[in-house]
Amino acid sequence: MMHRFIELSFIQAAKEIGIDIPNINFERPKIADHGHLSTNIAMTLAKLLKRKPQDIAQDIIAHLKVDSTIIDNVEIAGAGFINIYLNPHAFHLAMMQMITMGSHYGRSNIGSGKTANVEYVSANPTGKLHLGHGRNAAIGDTVSNLLEWTGYTVTREYYFNNAGNQMNMLATSIFARYQHLTGNTEYLFPEDGYHGDYIIEIAEKAFTQFGNTLSDENAETLSTLRKMGEEWCFASIMNTLKKMHIHQDTFFNEDSLYTDGSIDSLLDELKKKNLSYEKEGATWMKFSEIDDSLTDRVIVKSTGEPTYRLPDIAYHRTKFERNYDLIVDIFGADHIATIPDVKAGIRALGYDISKLKVLIYQFVTLWDNGEQVKMSKRSGKSYTLDELIDEVGADVVRFFFLMRGAQTQLEFDLLIAREQNDKNPVYYLQYVHARICSLLKQIEEQQLQIQDTFDASLLIHSSELNLISILTRFEEVTIRAAHNLEPQMISEYLREVASAFHSFYHDCRILGMESSLMNARIHLAILTKTVMSNGLTILGISSPTSM
RNA sequence: GCACCCGUAGCUCAACUGGAUAGAGCAUUUGACUACGGAUCAAAAGGUUUGGGGUUCGAAUCCCUACGGGUGCACCA
């Protein structure tokens, strides 16, 4: 925030020595000796200008008009870094700026006027959600939040398929369990059927409703059971998502691509563009022609049924046709192979694939007591997301899924997740909020007055200045996290805020201090509460007033 | 076999997307308030960023290579 002003004076200085640059990137040095802000602009210009970085830096500084009320000192260090040392007054100004934004602090408008579509979860209604879906949901919801915080209008979308083989398999699995319930224990369970206990639950429901009447495995019976299974699974999925505080705006049914003619028209178009051909009774798509690292694939089987690639491309096409400025897919690592094909297909149809960002997350492994909990879908013994939420709570589940980068495999340690103490990183963050709320409550009880105006210049303790400095970063962290689609940047940042606050709170007494100092510190605490609460909101985690 | 992801402290992970002396938490060791919630704070110790080359002012980050882990490679979705 405050360095926008400083940036302008640097650009002006550069202009005076004949260099035109649109913007300058400032970094926050990790080491205090390197100042509060630092730029490597002289080094990046060195090659272009064929001059030594130090000389360029020298020139820029010579033309820089320093505002001495904000900047204490500017110096050259190392290979040509320009380091800026800010005056405490700069922090006080920044604090006032943050406070004027109120509860909106952290929001920005870089995406305002733009629209985004974020697709996540997208599980088919054939079973309960498992941990992978949980990671998907947490990431998707948080990415959506981040985009909203940077000004985007976001559509949260769920894509599902309630047709095809998998649903038939669901129906036959239920039928088999149903047969067992009617006493036909000999009935063979389908080889690739769904083994989870929930199938038995659905079968029991069918048994209660229909008794023994569904003895024949005919089309009508299977259709009834399929519908029943779908409804049950969808209800289960929605219920679990609700527990995780996740909602979605649109549910896009794959089937609609067939009924509205999207699939047919796509096939026609591919044919017209000479991107498909017939071979061995099937229709193939010339992926290899679009991108020579790809190979041709079947898009319509010889039986006449499309493979998943065709609807995938048709579906993504609708997203481009719906004219979003940004399209985000949250996919598990098992979908990694399909992405290049979809992208190639979309590009061949003439769309701008730079709008499409695919966020791949790696798998989740669950650990308990130092042992890995195996999660096998086949055996049906998987630890469901629902059970996990019931066991450790939605806040902990979400935070654990969000505290690591998506591209690394996530180890979910139940032992730590179950702990309701200092070992659990979620509580460290939430405790900040609860502590401040507790403070405010005491102020109210003691009938102390909080003045609206206060003298920020009283905040000169190093832990006060450090806390303010970290709080000033919130907006840019949010922007960067949104831009890179990396929710864990928020978790990391909030940990820093929490750490800085606890240090401040330890070092700087509030209640009982001289009233103008107390008042200033209360305002700093309130500002911290705002940032903490906003950050937790982005992550979809509650901000408790007491714990 | 081919493609993609990953390899950082004993463990789980960061590192501002190529920046300066690679940082946190847990575990270990040692300290700290007769007041705001000790679910806290301060400090010590812990590293050849898997090995080896290369690119440049500068590499955990980019390229090549070897090794190790994961995922995917159907006329399944």
Side-chain angles (χ1 to χ4, degrees):
Chain A
M1 24 194 341
M2 62 187 149
H3 59 267
R4 180 63 196 162
F5 180 74
I6 296 168
E7 183 182 358
L8 290 175
S9 52
F10 268 77
I11 290 172
Q12 181 59 32
K15 203 172 204 170
E16 284 175 26
I17 60 169
I19 311 164
D20 234 340
I21 33 179
N23 53 57
I24 292 179
N25 183 34
F26 287 96
E27 291 174 359
R28 318 261 181 175
K30 295 169 211 159
I31 298 157
D33 286 350
H34 294 157
H36 297 105
L37 291 172
S38 176
T39 178
N40 62 354
I41 186 69
M43 287 134 98
T44 57
L45 288 170
K47 197 172 275 180
L48 189 72
L49 301 177
K50 298 196 168 120
R51 293 178 58 195
K52 288 171 70 176
Q54 287 91 344
D55 292 347
I56 300 170
Q58 198 65 59
D59 259 5
I60 292 176
I61 291 178
H63 288 82
L64 193 64
K65 289 177 184 59
V66 173
D67 181 346
S68 62
T69 62
I70 293 177
I71 295 174
D72 267 348
N73 191 21
V74 179
E75 61 181 38
I76 302 170
F81 292 98
I82 300 175
N83 294 339
I84 301 161
Y85 296 79
L86 297 172
N87 193 293
H89 184 56
F91 293 102
H92 300 145
L93 287 177
M95 182 176 170
M96 302 313 289
Q97 274 184 39
M98 291 187 271
I99 285 174
T100 45
M101 292 168 154
S103 62
H104 285 281
Y105 176 52
R107 290 189 186 271
S108 57
N109 53 16
I110 56 163
S112 65
K114 294 187 197 164
T115 57
N117 178 291
V118 182
E119 183 210 330
Y120 55 104
V121 186
S122 294
N124 288 334
T126 57
K128 298 182 182 180
L129 295 180
H130 56 250
L131 299 204
H133 294 126
R135 191 176 193 187
N136 188 318
I139 292 172
D141 191 51
T142 303
V143 163
S144 302
N145 290 342
L146 279 168
L147 291 171
E148 280 172 354
W149 274 69
T150 52
Y152 278 88
T153 302
V154 179
T155 301
R156 297 151 187 258
E157 188 152 306
Y158 187 122
Y159 176 68
F160 71 103
N161 180 5
N162 60 351
N165 275 336
Q166 38 165 12
M167 295 306 291
N168 293 333
M169 191 54 74
L170 178 68
T172 52
S173 301
I174 298 169
F175 184 76
R177 293 297 188 205
Y178 171 83
Q179 284 300 310
H180 299 163
L181 287 173
T182 60
N184 184 5
T185 50
E186 304 287 293
Y187 193 89
L188 216 58
F189 195 81
E191 195 172 332
D192 295 323
Y194 293 97
H195 288 260
D197 289 344
Y198 65 97
I199 298 291
I200 298 172
E201 258 183 75
I202 302 168
E204 279 166 353
K205 199 180 163 200
F207 187 65
T208 327
Q209 193 168 337
F210 299 107
N212 285 322
T213 59
L214 303 177
S215 51
D216 275 351
E217 190 174 356
N218 57 35
E220 196 187 334
T221 298
L222 287 179
S223 162
T224 304
L225 293 179
R226 179 167 48 225
K227 194 154 191 304
M228 198 169 217
E230 178 189 339
E231 280 168 8
W232 192 97
C233 291
F234 224 92
S236 156
I237 290 169
M238 288 304 116
N239 184 46
T240 304
L241 290 178
K242 195 177 165 194
K243 277 191 198 173
M244 243 178 118
H245 309 121
I246 282 167
H247 78 278
Q248 276 151 312
D249 307 310
T250 54
F251 290 80
F252 194 103
N253 190 338
E254 179 178 335
D255 199 41
S256 69
L257 296 168
Y258 295 90
T259 53
D260 73 1
S262 300
I263 295 285
D264 288 337
S265 67
L266 175 58
L267 274 172
D268 279 350
E269 195 166 340
L270 291 176
K271 198 170 181 182
K272 267 189 209 133
K273 293 196 181 216
N274 199 22
L275 287 166
S276 63
Y277 59 91
E278 306 288 324
K279 193 175 97 182
E280 295 160 4
T283 308
W284 295 64
M285 183 155 168
K286 295 181 185 173
F287 287 111
S288 64
E289 205 161 279
I290 303 165
D291 183 335
D292 54 18
S293 68
L294 302 176
T295 53
D296 292 354
R297 301 283 181 183
V298 170
I299 50 173
V300 181
K301 297 187 248 177
S302 53
T303 59
E305 295 167 43
T307 65
Y308 67 92
R309 271 172 244 271
L310 191 59
D312 273 4
I313 293 170
Y315 169 54
H316 277 83
R317 182 187 207 177
T318 72
K319 295 196 203 180
F320 281 86
E321 283 296 321
R322 284 181 274 163
N323 216 12
Y324 294 107
D325 297 297
L326 177 65
I327 297 165
V328 181
D329 288 345
I330 315 289
F331 283 159
D334 51 341
H335 280 77
I336 208 159
T338 79
I339 295 158
D341 287 352
V342 171
K343 279 190 172 175
I346 290 294
R347 198 174 42 148
L349 292 168
Y351 298 100
D352 174 14
I353 53 166
S354 69
K355 285 182 179 178
L356 173 63
K357 290 191 179 178
V358 182
L359 184 51
I360 303 285
Y361 62 92
Q362 297 294 322
F363 278 29
V364 179
T365 50
L366 189 65
W367 293 77
D368 194 5
N369 250 324
E371 274 183 37
Q372 189 174 350
V373 182
K374 292 283 180 199
M375 289 180 288
S376 157
K377 209 176 179 182
R378 277 264 169 272
S379 71
K381 277 185 191 163
S382 56
Y383 206 95
T384 66
L385 182 57
D386 211 57
E387 290 165 334
L388 188 68
I389 296 171
D390 286 345
E391 187 161 350
V392 302
D395 284 344
V396 174
V397 168
R398 286 190 68 130
F399 188 78
F400 271 58
F401 283 143
L402 293 171
M403 68 182 180
R404 306 297 180 219
Q407 78 285 358
T408 58
Q409 284 174 54
L410 180 74
E411 306 222 354
F412 198 115
D413 192 335
L414 271 173
L415 214 56
I416 295 174
R418 273 193 289 255
E419 301 243 22
Q420 303 215 356
N421 57 31
D422 58 326
K423 288 203 183 101
N424 194 324
V426 193
Y427 296 107
Y428 186 72
L429 305 186
Q430 293 184 319
Y431 183 49
V432 171
H433 193 267
R435 241 185 163 178
I436 298 170
C437 288
S438 166
L439 172 76
L440 296 175
K441 197 174 157 203
Q442 287 184 58
I443 288 167
E444 199 180 321
E445 280 167 4
Q446 294 178 27
Q447 297 185 330
L448 296 167
Q449 292 293 320
I450 302 176
Q451 307 293 328
D452 285 343
T453 58
F454 66 98
D455 184 2
S457 71
L458 297 172
L459 304 173
I460 48 168
H461 191 283
S462 64
S463 24
E464 291 168 328
L465 293 174
N466 182 48
L467 176 56
I468 296 169
S469 166
I470 287 173
L471 293 176
T472 61
R473 281 170 42 207
F474 184 45
E475 183 180 308
E476 65 185 70
V477 168
T478 308
I479 291 172
R480 267 171 38 85
H483 183 257
N484 297 335
L485 307 177
E486 291 185 5
Q488 95 282 359
M489 296 178 79
I490 301 290
S491 326
E492 287 289 326
Y493 171 71
L494 291 181
R495 188 200 290 277
E496 275 187 68
V497 174
S499 171
F501 175 78
H502 286 311
S503 294
F504 153 71
Y505 204 63
H506 188 266
D507 294 343
C508 302
R509 176 88 200 152
I510 297 176
L511 292 183
M513 299 305 281
E514 184 273 319
S515 72
S516 56
L517 181 59
M518 177 175 78
N519 207 43
R521 285 180 174 167
I522 289 171
H523 278 278
L524 181 53
I526 293 174
L527 178 61
T528 307
K529 177 172 169 278
T530 303
V531 169
M532 216 62 215
S533 159
N534 287 354
L536 288 171
T537 299
I538 290 172
L539 297 178
I541 294 170
S542 66
S543 305
T545 54
S546 69
M547 292 167 66

